[in-house]
Amino acid sequence: MSAVGSAASVATRSCRWGCWAALALLAACAEVPVAPPTASAPTAQSEELVRSVARHRSLAEKQQRAGDLAGAAAHWQIVGLLAPEDATARRELAEVRAAIAQGVKDQLQAGSAALRAGDGERAALAMLKALALDPANAEAAKTLREIDRQRLARAQASRAAKAQGEAMTATKSTLARPQMADATDASD
């Protein structure tokens, strides 16, 4: 055999062995499929999930009956996150959110009407109710700040008027004293 033929034969064998080695390495990296867990054996984690869903559902219903719509919405949202396939939770959350939106709208209208009528106390109460339903409501917060600003301005004006009245009374009494002294001097 010639030197060239022998070198080619060695190169061919090396290439074959290299291919077999690469194939063996790839086969070693492959994963054996694992059978999915059976649904018949409940795990402690799934039991805890079921208990959590039931607890939040109960709290949502209780708060909804008590009129705490914001609290009910929070618990319905948790139920929806824990059990995304629960259509009842999604429907209840949508209904509570709609009731919150309507309640906020009603309170904003009542507060605005009270403010136009000059009843700042009733207007402030309505805005606080709107904020209880929707703490992020910018309109209710702005109106409440305006009501507080008006209250502060009235209180400052009242204090200024009282101070001015006291100053006038003090001035009058100071001016009246010398006249009284003159009257007693004239009688002597």
Side-chain angles (χ1 to χ4, degrees), residues 34 41 56 69 82 89 109 141 152 166 178:
V34 178
H56 285 287
L69 298 178
L82 293 175
Q109 288 174 348
L152 181 62
E166 289 173 357

Side-chain angles (χ1 to χ4, degrees), residues 26-168:
L26 282 173
C29 293
E31 289 185 25
V32 176
V34 178
T38 60
S40 62
T43 63
Q45 187 178 17
S46 67
E47 289 174 5
E48 179 63 28
L49 179 65
V50 169
R51 282 194 302 271
S52 291
V53 168
R55 184 177 64 246
H56 285 287
R57 180 182 304 280
S58 173
L59 287 170
E61 291 168 349
K62 180 181 176 183
Q63 289 183 332
Q64 201 167 346
R65 282 189 305 272
D68 180 6
L69 298 178
H75 286 289
W76 281 123
Q77 190 169 10
I78 291 170
V79 171
L81 291 172
L82 293 175
E85 73 285 349
D86 190 339
T88 303
R90 287 192 307 270
R91 188 186 75 247
E92 289 290 337
L93 179 59
E95 288 175 8
V96 169
R97 285 182 173 165
I100 287 172
Q102 185 61 47
V104 168
K105 180 181 174 185
D106 293 346
Q107 291 302 323
L108 289 174
Q109 288 174 348
S112 295
L115 197 56
R116 283 190 303 274
D119 189 352
E121 292 299 318
R122 201 174 78 215
L125 183 61
M127 293 305 154
L128 287 172
K129 287 180 181 178
L131 286 172
L133 289 170
D134 180 11
N137 188 286
E139 184 180 347
K142 180 182 174 187
T143 303
L144 197 54
R145 281 191 302 272
E146 179 60 27
I147 292 168
D148 282 343
R149 188 192 63 74
Q150 289 174 2
R151 282 181 184 164
L152 181 62
R154 280 193 304 272
Q156 287 175 338
S158 175
R159 281 195 297 268
K162 183 179 177 183
Q164 186 178 12
E166 289 173 357
M168 296 275 283

Side-chain angles (χ1 to χ4, degrees), residues 175-187:
L175 291 175
R177 281 194 189 133
Q179 292 174 355
M180 294 174 92
D182 291 340
T184 55
D185 288 340
S187 65

